[in-house]
Amino acid sequence: MTIPRRSWRGAGAFAAAAVVGLAGGVISAGPAAAHTPTWAVTCSEVTLNLTAYNPGVTNEVTVSIVGGDVLLPTTKFGREYKTDKPLQLPKHDKELTVHLVVKAGDGENYSKDDTKVAPVCEGETPEPTPTEAKPAEKPSTEPPTSAPEPSETATEAAPAPAEPSSAAPDLAETGSSSATPVIGGAALAVLLAGGGILWSVRKRRSAQH
């Protein structure tokens, strides 16, 4: 049986087209399936360079410190994601574990969950943690204790000394009383006056005789 040449040519052209289409599909799918999550961690920063992801789906990336701060909240991206500025790590006096999570929208097999350790920078002294000031004790609202009342059995004040009675008899006057010279002077004056009168009477009688 003889097969026409046109049939052979048609079959060859179809096979060639199939091979080209398959190759093109592989080439076009290659970059989308590459998924290159490159990242680096130093003592002070984190850099990301996620490339060759499928732009037709939604991809997500998150970076955090294990047991600490979130450096990059969950961020959506397409074909690639790069940090324009490195993510800054806080000052630390011990190693930090940095956690990277990349979720590919076209399959879990393209996702990435990885950790890296950030060493302590040389000469870095972390700032001391401020000590919380203890609140001052509240002043007591209880009233002060009153002074003890004086005892009823306290010794009574001694009575004032009795004043001398005004009805008490005067003491007897002694010879040294201050009225004695006055009395003596008055008696002498009476005697002198009597002698003068007596002398004048006698003189008159003698003159009449």
Side-chain angles (χ1 to χ4, degrees), residues 20-98:
V20 171
L22 180 61
V26 172
I27 292 173
S28 62
H35 302 84
T36 307
T38 303
W39 69 305
V41 176
T42 66
C43 69
S44 61
E45 60 187 26
V46 179
T47 56
L48 302 177
N49 188 20
L50 313 178
T51 60
Y53 280 79
N54 188 349
V57 296
T58 300
N59 307 298
E60 296 179 351
V61 58
T62 306
V63 181
S64 61
I65 299 174
V66 176
D69 300 336
V70 176
L71 303 179
L72 178 66
T74 301
T75 303
K76 297 179 181 181
F77 67 98
R79 182 182 297 275
E80 63 182 23
Y81 179 85
K82 297 180 181 180
T83 49
D84 296 332
K85 294 182 180 180
L87 306 176
Q88 298 299 314
L89 291 170
K91 292 184 178 181
H92 51 280
D93 57 357
K94 60 182 179 181
E95 295 180 344
L96 298 178
T97 302
V98 184

Side-chain angles (χ1 to χ4, degrees), residues 95-132:
E95 295 180 344
L96 298 178
T97 302
V98 184
H99 187 199
L100 169 70
V101 177
V102 180
K103 292 183 179 181
D106 52 355
E108 288 294 332
N109 55 321
Y110 299 128
S111 298
K112 187 177 184 64
D113 190 323
D114 193 14
T115 58
K116 290 187 179 183
V117 176
V120 178
C121 295
E122 295 182 2
E124 180 177 322
T125 303
E127 297 180 358
T129 303
T131 304
E132 295 183 359

Side-chain angles (χ1 to χ4, degrees), residues 112-190:
K112 187 177 184 64
D113 190 323
D114 193 14
T115 58
K116 290 187 179 183
V117 176
V120 178
C121 295
E122 295 182 2
E124 180 177 322
T125 303
E127 297 180 358
T129 303
T131 304
E132 295 183 359
K134 295 183 179 179
E137 295 182 359
K138 296 182 179 179
S140 176
T141 56
E142 296 181 0
T145 305
S146 58
E149 297 180 358
S151 175
E152 295 180 356
T153 58
T155 304
E156 295 181 358
E163 296 180 357
S165 175
S166 57
D170 295 336
L171 297 176
E173 294 184 359
T174 60
S176 60
S177 175
S178 59
T180 301
V182 177
I183 297 173
L188 179 60
V190 171

